[in-house]
Amino acid sequence: VLSGWTKTFDLGFNGAATPTADGGTSDSASLNTGLTFTNDNDEYRAAVGARYWLATVDGNKSQNAFRAYGTYDKYLKDVDPKLFVFGRAQYDFDEIQAFYQRVSGFGGVGYDFIKRDNYTMSGRVGLGATQDFGRAETDDFRVEALAGIDGKWVIDPRQTFNYSFYFFPSLSDFSDGRVVSNVWYEADIDQAKGLA
């Protein structure tokens, strides 16, 4: 069923006790984990994944968030081998953010400005809708545009650098847009066992 798909699982922990001016300490701890399945071939690119973040400062939650998403890019090879149509859907839960829960879906066209074995850069434009819910004071439905770039640099067989930068302006109020940016680096610890 998962032939041609690559699975990535990651798990991270962090903890610190920082001295304070009054002679005490400020304790913080965090956990983040994720699971992603990807498939990239001549016909399409697809990714499905989920991620969870939890962080505390002095015993109080400073982050409790979950995201699940799916993306699909279908190449229009008869028109241009670098042109594609895309669809993406995402669910977000964030106990700290004002929106609490958010569901969004977008579709549009994209173009691979650079597509090499070791580096890709794609641009996307499209339309979609976003629904915030879970807190009556911030519940909101809006139609949004999408414009952005994303890509990946395979530094060597054991290291990759990934990025995405998207702007989501509301069509009813262009100044009410949001920017979502991600940058991450992955390094294999043990290639034979798939640790990174």
Side-chain angles (χ1 to χ4, degrees), residues 34-136:
L35 178 63
T36 307
F37 295 90
T38 57
N39 193 340
D40 191 348
N41 57 58
D42 291 339
E43 299 294 324
Y44 67 88
R45 280 185 298 216
V48 177
R51 177 161 291 283
Y52 178 70
W53 301 266
L54 177 65
T56 61
V57 176
D58 295 329
N60 299 312
K61 283 183 193 174
S62 58
Q63 186 175 30
N64 183 24
F66 171 78
R67 171 176 296 152
Y69 63 92
T71 63
Y72 183 77
D73 301 342
K74 173 66 175 163
Y75 284 103
L76 303 174
K77 294 169 67 173
D78 294 339
V79 179
D80 185 323
K82 293 184 174 186
L83 186 68
F84 58 90
V85 293
F86 72 89
R88 60 183 294 162
Q90 185 166 302
Y91 166 79
D92 288 287
F93 162 82
D94 197 319
E95 187 177 5
I96 309 302
Q97 293 288 339
F99 63 77
Y100 197 67
Q101 294 185 75
R102 172 178 287 162
V103 176
S104 60
F106 289 87
V109 296
Y111 191 81
D112 288 334
F113 296 112
I114 302 171
K115 186 171 184 184
R116 300 184 195 131
D117 289 341
N118 69 330
Y119 187 77
T120 61
M121 176 187 285
S122 303
R124 299 170 192 270
V125 293
L127 290 172
T130 298
Q131 172 71 55
D132 295 346
F133 60 96
R135 290 196 174 102

Side-chain angles (χ1 to χ4, degrees), residues 99-176:
F99 63 77
Y100 197 67
Q101 294 185 75
R102 172 178 287 162
V103 176
S104 60
F106 289 87
V109 296
Y111 191 81
D112 288 334
F113 296 112
I114 302 171
K115 186 171 184 184
R116 300 184 195 131
D117 289 341
N118 69 330
Y119 187 77
T120 61
M121 176 187 285
S122 303
R124 299 170 192 270
V125 293
L127 290 172
T130 298
Q131 172 71 55
D132 295 346
F133 60 96
R135 290 196 174 102
E137 65 275 13
T138 58
D139 285 358
D140 181 36
F141 174 82
R142 61 196 172 278
V143 177
E144 296 177 312
L146 173 155
I149 61 168
D150 54 65
K152 179 177 185 177
W153 174 30
V154 180
I155 301 166
D156 60 41
R158 299 182 71 124
Q159 301 177 85
T160 59
F161 178 81
N162 306 267
Y163 61 90
S164 65
F165 304 96
Y166 293 111
F167 176 49
F168 298 91
S170 170
L171 294 187
S172 61
D173 181 1
F174 196 77
S175 66
D176 190 26

Side-chain angles (χ1 to χ4, degrees), residues 16-31:
T18 308
T20 60
D22 62 4
T25 60
S26 176
D27 300 321
S28 63
S30 65
L31 160 77

